[in-house]
Amino acid sequence: MAYFSQFDHFYELKYGCSTNHSIIEDPKGMSSAHHHDDYEFYFLDSGNRKYYASNNVYTLKPYQIVIFKPNVPHQVTINLNIPYERHLIYVSPKLIDSILLDNPQIKLDNETQLFNLSKNTYKNSIKFISKISNEIRNSDKYSPSAIKSILTELLIYIYRNHDTSTLVVEKRDQRIQSAINYILENYANPITLSDCAKISYMSTSHFSREFHKTTALSFKEFLNKIRVDSSLKLLETTKFSI
């Protein structure tokens, strides 16, 4: 069993894959979003974590899995400071593409996908990670094929057994998410901090603090980022001048 300090881990792909298991006793949030060139599979064993990714707020609870596509900015925000345990798998896009080519029924289209599993199903899914870790540690000429096969089984197992019921969203998350959605829909119009605070049923000072905790950006920074990102898309997809 490995013990790591918060975010004190590095990964190196072997045969297109890497695994990591950590028990975090002093959980903290990230000061900014980060991303990887590879897929990230995040399995939460215990505790809870609040993620912000793809302009959505996710509160992960035990037996949930989140999959981030490559280069999708995401971050963990401070919530409850509860110790937690988690498993990670990093997988190269090349290996995932190979798996999806052979298994078109598996869909990884969304930037971020969240899965609910029962306790028993989740514990069974962790066994696949153990098998992958063993192949990486004790590799031979059969390991690349074995790792691909195990990952394929894991994905099929998750998709076949995940709970499709609606996730319970915390009240605070709902309020911040409402403000984010409002900004995404109205960024081309004048928007004020006061507008979003009212939508979230918070005072401006309270909303400002909670918004920054969730996104690691101030309201103004977030609004400007959305506007700049939209402008870049227009430059890429239209003939509009700067």
Side-chain angles (χ1 to χ4, degrees):
M1 183 177 292
Y3 289 83
F4 293 82
S5 298
Q6 183 81 21
F7 313 124
D8 183 20
H9 75 274
F10 301 91
Y11 73 91
E12 181 178 353
L13 298 183
K14 188 171 184 179
Y15 308 126
C17 192
S18 176
T19 63
N20 180 278
H21 172 221
S22 296
I23 297 174
I24 310 297
E25 300 290 349
D26 58 340
K28 298 178 178 66
M30 295 177 179
S31 58
S32 62
H34 71 288
H35 62 83
H36 315 281
D37 294 331
D38 308 296
Y39 283 83
E40 178 182 331
F41 293 56
Y42 189 110
F43 296 70
L44 188 63
D45 294 42
S46 63
N48 68 58
R49 292 273 78 194
K50 193 180 297 296
Y51 260 99
Y52 174 69
S54 304
N55 292 317
N56 287 294
V57 182
Y58 302 91
T59 297
L60 297 185
K61 297 188 176 180
Y63 320 131
Q64 291 183 334
I65 302 169
V66 62
I67 300 177
F68 298 105
K69 291 184 74 172
N71 300 313
V72 173
H74 57 278
Q75 69 190 73
V76 178
T77 61
I78 299 172
N79 64 306
L80 303 182
N81 296 324
I82 297 174
Y84 66 96
E85 180 178 0
R86 57 103 173 106
H87 288 77
L88 297 177
I89 309 178
Y90 297 103
V91 189
S92 71
K94 182 178 180 181
L95 180 52
I96 289 292
D97 289 345
S98 177
I99 292 172
L100 297 183
L101 183 63
D102 295 337
N103 301 273
Q105 73 276 19
I106 299 174
K107 303 296 182 182
L108 290 176
D109 299 330
N110 298 332
E111 289 186 344
T112 307
Q113 293 183 233
L114 188 62
F115 300 90
N116 284 322
L117 300 181
S118 69
K119 182 177 180 179
N120 287 338
T121 301
Y122 181 88
K123 290 187 178 299
N124 286 334
S125 72
I126 297 301
K127 294 177 182 178
F128 290 98
I129 303 177
S130 297
K131 290 181 181 179
I132 294 171
S133 299
N134 185 60
E135 288 293 340
I136 292 173
R137 285 193 305 268
N138 306 296
S139 61
D140 58 25
K141 64 182 180 180
Y142 302 105
S143 293
S145 296
I147 288 172
K148 178 181 177 180
S149 177
I150 297 167
L151 273 171
T152 302
E153 282 191 79
L154 172 59
L155 282 167
I156 291 173
Y157 186 76
I158 291 171
Y159 273 83
R160 179 176 281 167
N161 295 286
H162 76 280
D163 181 2
T164 58
S165 62
T166 304
L167 296 175
V168 176
V169 181
E170 292 183 7
K171 198 169 192 179
R172 189 187 73 171
D173 293 348
Q174 288 178 330
R175 291 175 176 181
I176 297 299
Q177 188 67 63
S178 295
I180 291 172
N181 293 342
Y182 179 78
I183 293 170
L184 294 174
E185 293 169 4
N186 297 280
Y187 63 84
N189 303 315
I191 301 176
T192 67
L193 175 66
S194 179
D195 293 334
C196 290
K198 288 178 181 177
I199 290 170
S200 302
Y201 298 98
M202 299 181 190
S203 67
T204 53
S205 58
H206 186 202
F207 171 78
S208 184
R209 288 193 300 271
E210 294 297 328
F211 191 87
H212 188 272
K213 282 183 184 179
T214 301
T215 66
L217 296 172
S218 70
F219 165 77
K220 188 173 182 180
E221 288 171 336
F222 182 86
L223 178 57
N224 287 339
K225 180 181 181 299
I226 295 300
R227 286 171 171 168
V228 170
D229 289 347
S230 177
S231 297
L232 290 173
K233 288 180 181 178
L234 288 174
L235 288 172
E236 292 174 353
T237 59
T238 70
K239 295 182 180 180
F240 294 153
S241 66
I242 292 177

